[in-house]
Amino acid sequence: MSEWTDRDVRCLMFFCLVVLMVVSFMVHGNDEPPINPYLADSPWPMSHRNPYNQASSPLKGIEPNDNVQVSWQSAWPSITLALSGDPQRVWGSTFKSVYQVDLSGGDINKLATQTLSQPENGISGAYTLVDSEGKFFSPRDLTLSRFSQVSEGNDPRIVIEDSFTIPQGYLTVADEHIVGMNMTYDGFIAMATSAGLLVVVSRDFRFHTALSMGSNQSVSNSIAIDEEGGIYVLTNKQLHRVQWNGTQLVHLWSTTYESGPDEPLPGRLGTGSGSTPTLMGKQGGDKFVVFTDGSELMNLVLVWRDVIPDDWEPIAEGKDRRIAAEFPITFGVEEATRSISEQSVLVRGYSAMVVDNQYRLDTSDWFDNPNAGAITVLFSNLGFNAPYGVEKFSWDPVNRRVVSNWANQESCPNGIPTMSVASNIAYCWGQRNSKWTLLGFDWDTGETVVEVPMGYGVRYNSTYAATQIADEGQMISGTLLGLVRLLPSR
């Protein structure tokens, strides 16, 4: 039998990807993004759940009549949690460690911990993923490490298999560090640094390439990737599309958006948009990159992600033709003049949901530190500081415009929301009367239909973490001091 050529291998990989996309459509419906075969086959293998960053799930979540057991495990602080191929095994990353826990019992069982040196920048390590081989990838400062679990008898251990450090020759600022991370559909790790450098590296760390988004651009959140090789980097000034072809990065386009003030607003981790870009749409229909901008009254922004319709006109004089919509987010308050969100936009189909993070307490001048404004999130459940507002929007493909579907004045202080298709409920890590509470909203009407009280302490403070849907209706979130699991009984 003759040896396979590179072309034969690429053709087989393309065929397998097409098969997975067809299976995904049959199982989850056409609103589910294509499955990335190089991620773990689990309910939530990476930050924001999938390369589109939609943070919505086809699985059932907690429902109105469920009895819910609340469990907490120390591991501070945990931002996002990655579920392995065994959906009861969860990987987490903190300032000082990487750990794994087991969700199969009534309580959370910590299996193993690998202690690490604390990164110089706290956001480095917030975005993680587990690949199809069960390897956990987590960055720290300028180094990406690959972790695995090994067992010696009944003693599981976490080991660092290998690491990749971004070469000094690529760096442009003194404190540059890895921020966002995602997985391409051909199995490479893509990372964005705080200075707007995009790096793609193979999972065995033998290959890498890089491309800068330009000078004076910074990144404070993660990046989005589509199945056609599009990588979307949102800096404090522009949205960029970079094309990955398997060996090279090519800059395709960039568009300028309303980035707002030069200093971070209270609770924001950086200037410009406070959100990770999210992909909306599907093959054969309108396809967008969705995010919130930095305007005083924040807008939901939709940007055409590939071909702009021939008859499309700019939404306003001086606006880039690639911008499809800028819709003011008021959270249902007609007289609103200001709105802020640090969370990425929750997307399902052509619908999107945004939560309010407008804190009343401004801590930006408490210390001589550019990130001091984020201290306000520590008090974001308290009445004198808590933000209020949730709003859902939809793209109308017939009239080609954004509409507001509903608004709810519940409080979702600082966590990333999620949505269950099976339950038709959107969720946030909310608060009621200062008590941390899981809140669920009917996806069609916005009515609050789920309320699961947790507690008042900082152990339940989500602090930018993601509300995630795990296996069998379980829901989990990282918190300031560890992680919380909500286990329904039906």
Side-chain angles (χ1 to χ4, degrees), residues 21 26 49 57 73 84 94 99 105 169 172 273 302 402 404 423 482:
M21 291 170 66
M26 293 172 64
R49 187 174 167 263
S57 172
Q73 174 63 251
S84 66
T94 76
Y99 64 91
T172 56
S273 171
L302 273 63
V402 170
S404 175
S423 300

Side-chain angles (χ1 to χ4, degrees), residues 154-355:
N154 295 322
D155 182 25
R157 293 188 300 111
I158 293 173
V159 297
I160 301 176
E161 292 188 341
D162 202 357
S163 296
F164 166 81
T165 300
I166 298 175
Q168 286 291 322
Y170 289 133
L171 308 180
T172 56
V173 298
D175 60 345
E176 192 165 351
H177 52 274
I178 299 168
V179 179
M181 186 173 72
N182 204 324
M183 175 86 82
T184 69
Y185 277 79
D186 58 352
F188 288 75
I189 304 289
M191 303 178 291
T193 73
S194 56
L197 177 72
L198 178 62
V199 180
V200 171
V201 60
S202 60
R203 286 175 293 145
D204 61 9
F205 300 152
R206 296 177 182 175
F207 166 89
H208 76 270
T209 188
L211 181 68
S212 173
M213 299 302 103
S215 60
N216 300 317
Q217 303 216 22
S218 63
V219 173
S220 59
N221 289 279
S222 198
I223 55 180
I225 295 179
D226 68 26
E227 69 276 20
E228 297 173 343
I231 303 177
Y232 303 88
V233 183
L234 184 60
T235 74
N236 62 329
K237 298 182 183 297
Q238 294 178 308
L239 173 68
H240 304 265
R241 173 170 176 164
V242 176
Q243 192 65 28
W244 166 248
N245 65 10
T247 58
Q248 294 177 311
L249 293 168
V250 178
H251 192 283
L252 286 193
W253 55 255
S254 61
T255 186
T256 302
Y257 67 95
E258 299 294 334
S259 56
D262 294 332
E263 294 295 327
L265 296 167
R268 283 278 182 89
L269 297 175
T271 59
S273 171
S275 65
T276 290
T278 304
L279 303 186
M280 173 186 281
K282 56 191 177 184
Q283 295 292 339
D286 297 334
K287 295 190 290 184
F288 304 107
V289 187
V290 182
F291 58 96
T292 52
D293 68 13
S295 298
E296 183 78 4
L297 184 64
M298 177 177 58
N299 293 299
L300 181 71
V301 183
L302 273 63
V303 174
W304 299 103
R305 82 175 192 241
D306 45 24
V307 177
I308 304 172
D310 291 338
D311 62 344
W312 185 256
E313 297 292 335
I315 61 173
E317 184 177 354
K319 294 289 185 181
D320 191 324
R321 187 168 168 266
R322 186 164 287 281
I323 296 176
E326 284 181 347
F327 194 93
I329 301 173
T330 66
F331 299 109
V333 180
E334 292 185 4
E335 65 275 14
T337 59
R338 193 183 196 197
S339 58
I340 300 173
S341 187
E342 175 62 23
Q343 311 312 321
S344 63
V345 180
L346 166 66
V347 167
R348 193 69 190 183
Y350 281 113
S351 294
M353 194 183 87
V354 179
V355 297

Side-chain angles (χ1 to χ4, degrees), residues 94-134:
T94 76
F95 286 154
K96 293 187 176 182
S97 69
V98 161
Y99 64 91
Q100 195 178 66
V101 299
D102 178 14
L103 299 180
S104 61
D107 294 316
I108 304 171
N109 178 30
K110 185 176 285 189
L111 298 175
T113 300
Q114 171 66 261
T115 301
L116 305 170
S117 60
Q118 184 168 326
E120 294 183 8
N121 189 282
I123 192 65
S124 188
Y127 299 98
T128 62
L129 61 84
V130 181
D131 75 0
S132 55
E133 298 176 355

